[in-house]
Amino acid sequence: MAKPLYTAEAHVTGGRTRGHGRTADGRLDVDLRQPKELGGDGEGTNPEQLFAIGYAACFATVLALVGEARKLDAHDAAIDARVSLVPSGNGALRLAVELDVALPLIADPEQRAELVRAAHQICPYSHATRGNIDVTLLVNGVAI
């Protein structure tokens, strides 16, 4: 395995029901709670929200980099990320992700779609989820 360029470190106690999470550098410090939809009080952050933010942020960065390489300006990308818990049978749950990407500075719909597809091929989160999680890609609300 190659030497990591960066490693995030976090400590969690109590899990998602009445837990607390904190990164080693202290920049992220959150109470973890079940969402109301799953019987919790909804008074904290849940892991799916954190995953949605992480995936969208990483994807936006990759979009900008791929855009630069293609002489397209994607620095204004806005991504609505949805991470869902979906029953998979026998009481188990699985994740599903939807990324809805807006690229206002790229006028051509096919260029936008191709840029999103290309970013999905190299984004680290996309690599981690490929074959494990259903990921739906949309551009301005339209599936590609």
Side-chain angles (χ1 to χ4, degrees), residues 64-132:
L65 293 172
V66 173
E68 283 178 14
R70 295 176 179 211
K71 307 289 190 242
L72 297 169
D73 190 353
H75 288 87
D76 65 336
I79 301 172
D80 291 322
R82 294 170 194 86
V83 175
S84 301
L85 287 172
V86 181
S88 63
N90 300 326
L93 298 172
R94 63 180 177 79
L95 292 175
V97 173
E98 181 179 281
L99 300 178
D100 191 352
V101 181
L103 294 160
L105 294 177
I106 301 174
D108 183 282
E110 188 51 44
Q111 279 185 322
R112 289 191 303 246
E114 182 51 40
L115 184 62
V116 169
R117 285 187 202 101
H120 185 52
Q121 291 306 308
I122 61 173
C123 173
Y125 277 70
S126 294
H127 275 287
T129 61
R130 193 166 286 116
N132 300 308

